[in-house]
Amino acid sequence: MISLIDLKRQYKSISQEIIESVKEVFESGQYILGPKVAEFEKKCAEYLNVKHTIGVGNGTDALVIALESLGIGKGDEVITTPFTFFATAEAIMRVGAKPVFVDIDPLSYNIDPEKIEEKISERTKAIIPVHIFGQVCDMKKIVQIAKKYNLYIIEDACQAFGAEFEGKKAGTIGDVGCFSFFPTKNLGGFGDGGLIVTDSDEIAERARMLRQHGSKKKYFNEMIGFNSRLDEVQAAILLVKLKYIDSWNRRRIKIAQKFSTELKLDGLVTPKKCNSFEFGHIYHLYVLQHEKRELIMEYLAQKGIATGIYYPVPLHLTKALSFLGYKEGDFEVAERLCKKSFAIPMFPELTDEEIEYITTSINQFGGNL
């Protein structure tokens, strides 16, 4: 069976480095906000070319703390996409604000900048663009809109560590960037983990306080915060993996290029790279579209090829957000994509033989149409 992502292969390739790094943590006796977290934050700041990096418990907490650090809360509105993981909207709701959805661009699958302005109201405080599947949003247009209306930008870059736009890394273009180190991410740990990045001293100070019970100094709490700190063991693992992120992302890009060139099934829509930057799309997932999605997925399962649906329901139609009053037909592009899209295996350790087998199998499905 070819998995959507095979984490065992990646571990095998760097296992000795991982073991040595984690062993240092065990022997140090410093398990919370120790030297590995400090070193990882420093190395990430250098890699991303950003002033501040704050390690937190997970990507969802990164979004919540980022929103709180900007003072966004009850009565405020935040514009975002309905085509993303639930955490994006969940974080907005967690701080008491209201998510306001904007449909997506049919080529990039990212929020459509041309539709943002019509959703801005006097209550709008921020935009959360999501760099979905590893492709960076059109940040030039989004930044222009944010400046025009004096709005914050919180980049949900949870699927886009290492992606870039006009010479800047994803997550460093807006006021705050948020990353997830969930194991299946391009840069993933062996458990949960997250990161907040910003060039603002003020935002960084608030984020650091919020991640640790609202305090700068232990037992001297200045605000109501969270217990959300990047684990020392995860930092040790991520430090090793950070060295390989560019080479792994280049391999993903090469695999995606092979898929896009060799897949010939009638009616199949392959993902489009909508910019010219080397790391403009780093293919966290490789998502296809077809009217007969379920039949193709069933066929591939018989061939020993795993598939997945990202996402089966757009956020505006989820039960948890039904009180917002959206209905089917409100965001046609996102809804159509949820009905037609499916992902095929994508991870750096995929072999050329496996890539050929996957593309041949999909192309052969044409005989069943």
Side-chain angles (χ1 to χ4, degrees):
M1 185 74 177
I2 304 175
S3 305
L4 274 174
I5 177 169
D6 190 334
L7 297 175
K8 293 179 182 179
R9 294 190 200 181
Q10 188 175 91
Y11 172 67
K12 188 176 181 180
S13 70
I14 55 173
S15 60
Q16 201 54 46
E17 290 179 85
I18 295 286
I19 291 167
E20 289 299 320
S21 189
V22 171
K23 184 181 177 184
E24 290 176 16
V25 176
F26 294 157
E27 293 177 347
S28 74
Q30 299 182 63
Y31 306 136
I32 300 292
L33 294 183
K36 291 292 186 182
V37 170
E39 184 182 357
F40 179 66
E41 289 177 340
K42 181 176 181 292
K43 290 285 178 67
C44 280
E46 293 170 354
Y47 175 82
L48 297 168
N49 192 26
V50 69
K51 191 172 181 181
H52 300 285
T53 54
I54 302 101
V56 294
N58 52 70
T60 306
D61 283 359
L63 289 164
V64 173
I65 292 172
L67 286 158
E68 287 225 2
S69 297
L70 295 172
I72 295 170
K74 189 174 181 180
D76 295 333
E77 293 179 353
V78 179
I79 291 174
T80 193
T81 166
F83 189 72
T84 180
F85 182 59
F86 186 68
T88 309
E90 185 178 36
I92 297 168
M93 295 298 303
R94 275 292 173 199
V95 300
K98 176 185 176 182
V100 175
F101 297 119
V102 170
D103 209 354
I104 59 174
D105 173 76
L107 295 180
S108 70
Y109 309 157
N110 284 322
I111 191 169
D112 189 340
E114 303 301 327
K115 297 178 180 178
I116 290 177
E117 285 193 78
E118 64 190 55
K119 295 297 182 75
I120 295 173
S121 75
E122 60 182 16
R123 295 191 174 196
T124 307
K125 293 296 189 295
I127 304 169
I128 300 185
V130 180
H131 306 310
I132 203 71
F133 305 149
Q135 175 149 234
V136 184
C137 297
D138 188 342
M139 292 304 296
K140 186 174 183 179
K141 291 182 180 178
I142 292 172
V143 168
Q144 288 172 347
I145 293 168
K147 286 182 177 179
K148 180 179 177 180
Y149 293 94
N150 194 29
L151 304 176
Y152 291 117
I153 296 175
I154 302 170
E155 291 178 75
D156 184 336
C158 289
Q159 298 183 8
F161 194 96
E164 66 178 21
F165 185 89
E166 294 188 339
K168 298 192 75 174
K169 294 292 187 184
T172 71
I173 304 164
D175 297 281
V176 191
C178 299
F179 295 95
S180 166
F181 301 126
F182 188 78
T184 58
K185 296 295 193 286
N186 291 34
L187 181 64
F190 287 7
D192 279 316
L195 190 74
I196 299 167
V197 306
T198 183
D199 281 322
S200 166
D201 295 342
E202 181 181 355
I203 295 170
E205 182 179 44
R206 284 180 59 83
R208 288 194 182 98
M209 291 173 66
L210 284 166
R211 77 170 171 181
Q212 186 154 255
H213 303 289
S215 64
K216 295 178 188 176
K217 184 179 179 182
K218 194 173 183 180
Y219 304 125
F220 292 85
N221 307 81
E222 300 178 37
M223 62 178 75
I224 303 299
F226 304 85
N227 179 12
S228 182
R229 300 167 296 211
L230 180 63
D231 187 82
E232 187 76 358
V233 170
Q234 297 305 327
I237 293 163
L238 292 165
L239 267 169
V240 173
K241 289 191 169 190
L242 183 61
K243 297 184 296 183
Y244 299 98
I245 188 62
D246 282 349
S247 63
W248 287 340
N249 282 340
R250 283 194 180 95
R251 176 60 179 168
R252 287 175 180 268
I253 292 167
K254 186 176 180 180
I255 292 168
Q257 289 171 341
K258 286 188 175 184
F259 279 147
S260 296
T261 300
E262 296 175 15
L263 287 170
K264 305 293 186 182
L265 178 65
D266 286 346
L268 191 71
V269 179
T270 57
K272 303 295 186 293
K273 184 172 182 286
C274 297
N275 58 66
S276 59
F277 317 118
E278 180 186 2
F279 293 110
H281 196 333
I282 55 171
Y283 299 95
H284 168 58
L285 294 169
Y286 189 86
V287 176
L288 300 164
Q289 294 181 64
H290 201 280
E291 295 289 347
K292 297 189 176 182
R293 174 180 70 185
E294 281 71 22
L295 290 176
I296 296 174
M297 292 176 67
E298 185 179 319
Y299 176 80
L300 292 178
Q302 294 171 1
K303 292 282 188 176
I305 300 168
T307 56
I309 297 176
Y310 303 91
Y311 297 93
V313 183
L315 295 188
H316 66 288
L317 298 181
T318 57
K319 182 179 180 180
L321 299 178
S322 60
F323 67 94
L324 293 173
Y326 290 108
K327 62 185 185 302
E328 191 167 351
D330 283 343
F331 305 109
E332 294 182 355
V333 181
E335 291 170 26
R336 183 169 66 249
L337 193 57
C338 286
K339 293 175 181 176
K340 296 172 59 178
S341 65
F342 66 102
I344 59 175
M346 168 56 78
F347 53 94
E349 297 78 21
L350 267 179
T351 67
D352 289 344
E353 291 75 20
E354 287 172 326
I355 295 167
E356 183 178 356
Y357 178 70
I358 292 166
T359 53
T360 299
S361 297
I362 292 174
N363 289 338
Q364 286 176 344
F365 177 79
N368 298 312
L369 291 176

